[in-house]
């Protein structure tokens, strides 16, 4: 049953198909302008989706790395004494820490400050490449839960002889890719055979840039005095806080302030917090781009209303109601926003996939980005098209036809 107007005539109606046809008229006629109008919104949506996707993928990879490496690794480093000089950890520190409840592994190391490693004797002394020489215990690999990329690690036998194991970055800097009796480096004015090359240590980057030797040969050839400078402690996961609180006192009971205790996984957690704050910044920039895109759509719609005054006047004269004209231009604005939102979503997903695959991350795009991007674009389109739609509806038929 059709309702009737004041004069008994039926009120005009517009079907959804007719609304879509008239609402896309401007888009179909002026395709280049429609694409440029939707571009601003698509850039904003693409930026937001890409930021959310890349951030989620990187955070997932970082959390997986933290879970894999564990948060129960602690380090004790020699700090400063009361005079401001470099303190020395006691020789008995390793044995005392091993007796602590909750400690699983302890590995002492010492950086031999006056020793350097070179590819051969022809390299100038000053060109150290930033590499260090460290004496270590064979338990270091198990304590750090590390892996040997090539060759083998130090053991009780090889630790007594001029044998070294290179960290990942040290091997790259020295240009060494193989191991064995024929592969040697000039270390501390002695030739050392390269027995192994290590995989990277995310929680102990100082090991990556070091040449490792055993304590016995370090004492015999390199002047090692028995004092460790850094100890790696692997604690029971449920007792990390307890061990950390007692570690300085146990390491140096006489001067606990001279032993600095750190938790390497805190650096990864800090990276996670930094990535989240950086994501918030880029989300803000994406929101600004989306706002600019919305203003652009609104501006184009206002121009469209001015250009199509004759069409508006003719439709009104033929019986179209104000709401029909408003719905037509609002639909056109929503169509532009939908085109931009869909294109932006596709571009954001593509960027996330490319970046994640390039860095070896699992591609992870949050569900709220998938449905939130188009919805946000439609909301922006609705707001941007509201004023032009109301302005078009307010035009009187005679005025519109006269000024067309």
């Amino acid at each position: 049953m059709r309702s009737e107007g004041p004069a008994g005539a039926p009120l005009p109606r517009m079907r959804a198909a007719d609304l879509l046809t008239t609402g896309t008229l401007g888009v179909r006629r002026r395709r280049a302008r429609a694409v440029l109008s939707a571009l601003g919104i698509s850039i904003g949506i693409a930026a937001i989706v890409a930021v959310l996707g890349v951030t989620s993928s990187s955070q997932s990879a970082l959390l997986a790395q933290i879970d894999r490496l564990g948060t129960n690794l602690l380090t004790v480093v020699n700090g400063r004494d009361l005079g401001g000089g470099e303190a020395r950890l006691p020789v008995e520190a390793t044995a005392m820490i091993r007796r602590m409840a909750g400690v699983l592994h302890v590995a002492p190391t010492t950086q031999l400050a006056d020793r350097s490693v070179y590819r051969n004797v022809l390299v100038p002394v000053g060109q150290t490449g930033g590499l260090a020489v460290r004496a270590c215990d064979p338990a270091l690999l198990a304590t750090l839960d590390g892996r040997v990329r090539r060759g083998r690690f130090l053991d009780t036998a090889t630790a007594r002889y001029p044998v070294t194991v290179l960290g990942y970055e040290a091997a790259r800097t020295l240009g060494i890719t193989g191991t064995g009796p024929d592969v040697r480096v000039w270390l501390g004015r002695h030739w050392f055979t390269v027995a192994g090359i290590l995989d990277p240590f995310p929680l102990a980057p100082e090991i990556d840039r070091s040449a490792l030797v055993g304590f016995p040969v370090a004492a015999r050839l390199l002047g090692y005095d028995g004092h460790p400078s850094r100890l790696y402690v692997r604690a029971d996961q449920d007792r990390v806080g307890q061990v950390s609180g007692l570690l300085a006192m146990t390491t140096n009971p006489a001067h606990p302030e001279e032993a600095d205790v750190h938790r390497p996984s805190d650096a990864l957690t800090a990276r996670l917090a930094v990535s989240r704050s950086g994501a918030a910044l880029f989300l803000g920039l994406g929101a600004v781009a989306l706002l600019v895109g919305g203003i652009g759509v609104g501006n184009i719609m206002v121009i469209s209303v001015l250009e199509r005054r004759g069409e508006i006047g003719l439709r009104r004269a033929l019986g179209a109601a104000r709401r029909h004209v408003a719905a037509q231009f609002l639909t056109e604005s929503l169509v532009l926003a939908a085109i931009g939102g869909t294109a932006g979503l596709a571009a954001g997903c593509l960027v996330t996939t490319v970046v994640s695959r390039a860095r070896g991350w699992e591609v992870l795009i949050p569900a709220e980005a998938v449905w939130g991007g188009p919805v946000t674009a439609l909301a922006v389109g609705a707001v941007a098209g509201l004023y032009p739609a109301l302005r078009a509806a307010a035009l009187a038929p005679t005025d519109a036809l006269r000024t067309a």
Side-chain angles (χ1 to χ4, degrees):
M1 184 174 180
R2 303 179 67 182
S3 58
E4 296 184 351
L11 290 175
R13 293 183 179 180
M14 179 177 283
R15 296 178 301 174
D18 296 332
L19 180 60
L20 185 60
T21 301
T22 56
T24 57
L25 187 62
V27 177
R28 288 183 280 115
R29 284 183 177 179
R30 301 171 178 83
R31 296 180 181 179
R33 190 166 72 179
V35 170
L36 293 176
S37 301
L39 185 61
I41 290 182
S42 66
I43 291 175
I45 295 298
I48 292 174
V49 172
V51 168
L52 290 175
V54 171
T55 302
S56 297
S57 299
S58 65
Q59 289 179 357
S60 176
L62 190 55
L63 288 173
Q65 184 181 39
I66 293 175
D67 292 339
R68 184 175 66 255
L69 299 174
T71 58
N72 59 338
L73 179 66
L74 303 170
T75 62
V76 185
V77 185
N78 55 333
R80 297 287 176 178
D81 56 25
L82 295 178
E86 186 175 356
R88 305 178 72 192
L89 299 178
V91 176
E92 304 82 7
T94 303
M96 291 187 292
I97 293 174
R98 284 197 177 113
R99 291 196 290 265
M100 289 180 64
V103 171
L104 303 178
H105 302 283
V106 182
T109 65
T110 297
Q111 181 175 352
L112 305 174
D114 298 329
R115 307 296 177 179
S116 299
V117 57
Y118 305 94
R119 185 66 180 89
N120 53 55
V121 295
L122 302 178
V123 179
V125 177
Q127 295 183 8
T128 63
L131 305 181
V133 176
R134 296 179 187 272
C136 71
D137 190 278
L140 178 66
L141 196 64
T143 303
L144 293 179
D145 195 20
R147 293 181 299 178
V148 178
R149 177 176 289 260
R150 189 169 288 108
R152 57 184 297 184
F153 195 67
L154 299 171
D155 54 30
T156 306
T158 56
R160 300 166 52 194
Y161 299 99
V163 174
T164 182
V165 174
L166 301 178
Y168 179 75
E169 291 296 334
R172 289 185 58 185
T173 301
L174 294 172
I176 294 177
T177 58
T179 62
D182 297 332
V183 183
R184 300 188 302 170
V185 293
W186 185 244
L187 191 155
R189 299 183 181 277
H190 298 276
W191 285 108
F192 275 68
T193 300
V194 178
I197 298 174
L198 301 175
D199 270 341
F201 287 85
L203 295 184
E206 63 278 355
I207 298 297
D208 292 341
R209 301 197 58 81
S210 299
L212 306 176
V213 300
F215 282 127
V217 71
R220 180 163 53 89
L221 299 179
L222 305 176
Y224 170 59
D225 60 2
H227 290 270
S229 61
R230 181 184 295 264
L231 297 101
Y232 298 94
V233 180
R234 184 71 71 171
D236 187 299
Q237 187 67 56
D238 297 330
R239 308 180 73 173
V240 174
Q242 175 186 346
V243 173
S244 177
L246 299 174
L247 201 51
M249 179 67 72
T250 305
T251 302
N252 193 344
H255 299 284
E257 71 280 356
E258 296 180 358
D260 296 334
V261 179
H262 303 279
R263 193 175 183 178
S265 60
D266 289 344
L268 295 179
T269 305
R271 280 176 52 194
L272 191 63
V274 170
S275 68
R276 287 173 177 167
S277 62
L281 173 62
F282 285 109
L283 281 176
L285 294 177
V288 171
L290 189 59
L291 176 62
V292 172
I295 294 173
V297 170
N299 184 49
I300 291 298
M301 292 305 302
V302 170
I303 295 175
S304 180
V305 170
L306 295 176
E307 290 178 344
R308 298 162 65 183
R309 294 169 68 91
E311 175 192 336
I312 296 171
L314 182 60
R315 291 195 60 213
R316 289 297 311 280
L318 293 176
R322 293 180 184 273
R323 65 177 183 275
H324 297 151
V325 176
Q328 173 188 347
F329 284 91
L330 185 59
T331 299
E332 184 173 334
S333 178
L334 291 174
V335 168
L336 290 174
I339 294 173
T342 303
L345 176 61
C349 292
L350 179 61
V351 170
T352 300
T353 302
V354 171
V355 172
S356 299
R357 294 284 173 81
R359 302 196 176 187
W361 301 336
E362 179 186 2
V363 179
L364 185 62
I365 301 175
E368 56 268 23
V370 174
W371 61 261
V375 169
T376 303
L378 289 176
V380 171
V383 173
L386 185 60
Y387 169 72
L390 294 177
R391 181 171 179 175
L395 288 175
T398 52
D399 294 337
L401 289 172
R402 186 173 59 252
T403 58

